[in-house]
């Protein structure tokens, strides 16, 4: 039987086939808004495949459940009894954040880990060495910040995220000023969040992992002393895959 792992985000959907960390593991990406029309399972017969997923776009989960009854298992806290989620309101933790916590615990047992997921929204989750979720933050990601300026102002244009960075605080045109303002601002915000998190007793010596589509940007440009790293596996998909293990 083919096993699939889906991470349904606000901007894109990652579909993994095989087990994360093995040579056979492959990931395909789809724009979220076109996912239902572009993606198809290996075959129509539900006896030949099973999917495990984290979804932050409920209409997509409902549509897939209606089209493939019983084909999808959407992860929940019940899949990860080893995690202590007692500090968070029941049923309110996003499935992507839950998957990141489960993956961090599995990959760094007995360690404090801070995971920063960099997508449409940028969020952090903090796990104590004892496996307790201590909380985190949520703020707009780079693409969201860029888009909001274009959509909510009368004269500022909207720009997409660029691979080019010069971090010039003296921009002499709108595009340079906007891009560098967003990039410098979000780097400063994330640095402050990390340093503030490490000022707490439980997270003073935490690992710092960045995941999500924008993770390489932060790992490259944050101060080196923060020791920001990419995790050894695609973190969210790996966390989802843990729900498939007996």
């Amino acid at each position: 039987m083919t096993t699939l792992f889906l991470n349904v985000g606000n901007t894109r959907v990652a579909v993994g086939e095989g087990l994360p960390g093995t040579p056979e593991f492959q990931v395909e990406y789809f724009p979220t808004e076109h996912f239902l029309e572009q993606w198809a399972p290996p075959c129509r017969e539900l006896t030949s495949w099973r999917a495990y997923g984290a979804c932050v776009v409920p209409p997509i989960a409902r549509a897939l459940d209606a089209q493939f009854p019983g084909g999808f298992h959407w992860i929940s806290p019940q899949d990860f009894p080893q995690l202590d989620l007692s500090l968070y309101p029941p049923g309110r933790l996003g499935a992507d954040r839950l998957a990141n916590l489960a993956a961090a615990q599995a990959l760094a047992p007995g360690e404090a880990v801070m995971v920063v997921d960099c997508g449409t929204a940028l969020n952090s989750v903090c796990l104590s060495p004892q496996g307790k979720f201590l909380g985190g933050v949520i703020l707009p990601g780079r693409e969201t910040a860029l888009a909001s300026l274009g959509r909510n102002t009368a004269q500022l244009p909207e720009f997409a995220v660029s691979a080019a960075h010069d971090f010039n605080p003296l921009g002499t045109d709108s595009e340079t000023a906007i891009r560098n303002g967003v990039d410098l601002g979000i780097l400063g915000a994330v640095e402050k969040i990390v340093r503030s998190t490490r000022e707490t007793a439980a997270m003073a010596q935490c690992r710092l992992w960045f995941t999500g589509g924008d993770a390489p940007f932060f790992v490259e440009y944050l101060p080196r002393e923060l020791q920001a790293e990419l995790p050894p596996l695609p973190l969210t998909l790996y966390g989802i895959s843990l729900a498939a293990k007996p």
Side-chain angles (χ1 to χ4, degrees), residues 85-108:
L85 306 175
S86 59
L87 292 180
Y88 213 79
R92 299 296 299 274
L93 182 63
D96 54 344
R97 302 179 81 198
L98 175 63
N100 288 339
L101 285 167
Q105 187 180 47
L107 293 172

Side-chain angles (χ1 to χ4, degrees), residues 55-77:
C55 181
V56 298
V57 188
I60 289 185
R62 290 195 292 268
L64 291 171
D65 286 339
Q67 189 173 3
F68 306 104
F72 288 84
H73 174 88
W74 303 105
I75 64 169
S76 72

